[in-house]
Amino acid sequence: MTLWDGVLPFYPQSRHSAGFSVPLLIVILVFLSLAISFLLILPGIRGHSRWFWLVRVLLSLFIGAEIVAVHFSAEWSVGRVNTNTSYKAFSAARIRADLGLHVGLEGINITLKGTPVQQLNETINYNEQFRWRLGENYAEEYAEALEKGLPDPVLYLAEKFSRSSPCGLYRQYRLAGHYASALLWVAFCLWLLSNVLLSMPVPLYGGVALLATGSFALLSVVVFASIASVPLCPLRLGSSTLTTHYGAAFWITLATGVLCLLSGGAVVSSHYVWPSALRTFLDLNVKDCGNQTTGGSPLNFKNPIHKQFGASDSPISTNL
């Protein structure tokens, strides 16, 4: 056992691919914990309402988890190519590797993995992230990548997304990411509001909130997709060209927006067509809520003090 645990601190260390996104992992664990907690108390709910609660809660948790999780995902636009390219600057050595580009709302992620991994007496397995979210400086992260001497393919793609690049990818993706992120946070707030309203005897407004949630989720997809109409610079690496397409986060957000619209439309239509079935599904046992507002039933008052003095026990009734 050495002082540095077998590691020589003044020599370059072997590369390790980046792990799972920590914020994304936290979001998944939080919503998964809520789902497991609900499943534990589900057997205590009696009758058919147990299955109604199961569908309602799990569907709502899925929508909320998806809206939050896609903020931290780098799978909005992805591309991958296997190419024979130069490895380092001022060197004629070339490698065969898989190069991946992952674009998210807060930045890009570039992966480089050799095929095979061991080439040129080195482990070629890179996973680098460059962020443009608020509070982060993309230019500084790119400068640090230059100082670290990252491989040419990684620096080439990172330079294409820099502010000084004539391609304009930085402005396009950064603005699209900011606007899409803002719209998704509005959708998340509307999702919270819909859950509150659907738990109250006002399911119509809960359905409207769900419709608004789906509308903002779809609007975020449209905003991000607007960059597709702008011609992008060709990303040439060796003899190959890297092309991008919409990733899993894009399609899941699109599906969630459609799901919210369908769910909200079902609630609104059921409010007018099958109100009793809707109250049963939402477990809303509201009885005689409207009688007092319409003045249809009298309010009866009895004064027990009259009994002490032998007063008449006739009730006093009044109509509001």
Side-chain angles (χ1 to χ4, degrees), residues 252-300:
I252 293 178
T253 305
L254 177 62
T256 303
V258 174
L259 178 62
C260 289
L261 291 181
L262 294 177
S263 302
V267 171
V268 173
S269 60
S270 298
H271 174 76
Y272 293 104
V273 181
W274 302 292
S276 59
L278 179 61
R279 287 194 297 269
T280 301
F281 179 77
L282 297 177
D283 199 17
L284 299 176
N285 296 322
V286 182
K287 299 180 180 179
D288 300 329
C289 291
N291 290 338
Q292 295 182 10
T293 59
T294 59
S297 62
L299 299 180
N300 297 325

Side-chain angles (χ1 to χ4, degrees), residues 16-20 109 125-128:
H16 299 282
S17 59
F20 202 72
N109 202 71
N125 192 3
Y126 291 81
N127 192 333
E128 303 295 333

Side-chain angles (χ1 to χ4, degrees), residues 61-106:
L61 287 177
F62 169 77
I63 294 174
E66 190 279 334
I67 293 176
V68 179
V70 292
H71 284 89
F72 310 104
S73 174
E75 298 294 322
W76 280 79
S77 181
V78 297
R80 182 173 296 274
V81 65
N82 184 276
T83 183
N84 186 7
T85 180
S86 61
Y87 181 51
K88 293 279 187 166
F90 309 108
S91 174
R94 303 182 69 85
I95 61 170
R96 169 67 64 174
D98 287 324
L99 183 66
L101 174 64
H102 308 265
V103 183
L105 301 183
E106 298 183 340

Side-chain angles (χ1 to χ4, degrees), residues 153-188:
V154 176
L155 295 177
Y156 171 79
L157 289 181
E159 190 274 333
K160 288 292 185 181
F161 283 86
S162 63
R163 186 190 296 268
S164 59
S165 174
C167 291
L169 297 179
Y170 176 83
R171 290 184 295 273
Q172 296 172 19
Y173 279 96
R174 180 175 176 270
L175 288 177
H178 284 343
Y179 285 121
S181 179
L183 291 171
L184 284 173
W185 282 121
V186 175
F188 178 73

Side-chain angles (χ1 to χ4, degrees), residues 205-290:
Y205 301 111
V208 173
L210 265 179
L211 289 173
T213 302
S215 299
F216 276 93
L218 292 179
L219 190 58
S220 68
V221 170
V222 172
V223 168
F224 189 85
S226 63
I227 62 177
S229 60
V230 181
L232 303 179
C233 291
L235 304 176
R236 303 188 182 278
L237 298 127
S239 58
S240 305
T241 302
L242 177 65
T243 57
T244 60
H245 58 275
Y246 297 129
F250 178 89
W251 296 113
I252 293 178
T253 305
L254 177 62
T256 303
V258 174
L259 178 62
C260 289
L261 291 181
L262 294 177
S263 302
V267 171
V268 173
S269 60
S270 298
H271 174 76
Y272 293 104
V273 181
W274 302 292
S276 59
L278 179 61
R279 287 194 297 269
T280 301
F281 179 77
L282 297 177
D283 199 17
L284 299 176
N285 296 322
V286 182
K287 299 180 180 179
D288 300 329
C289 291

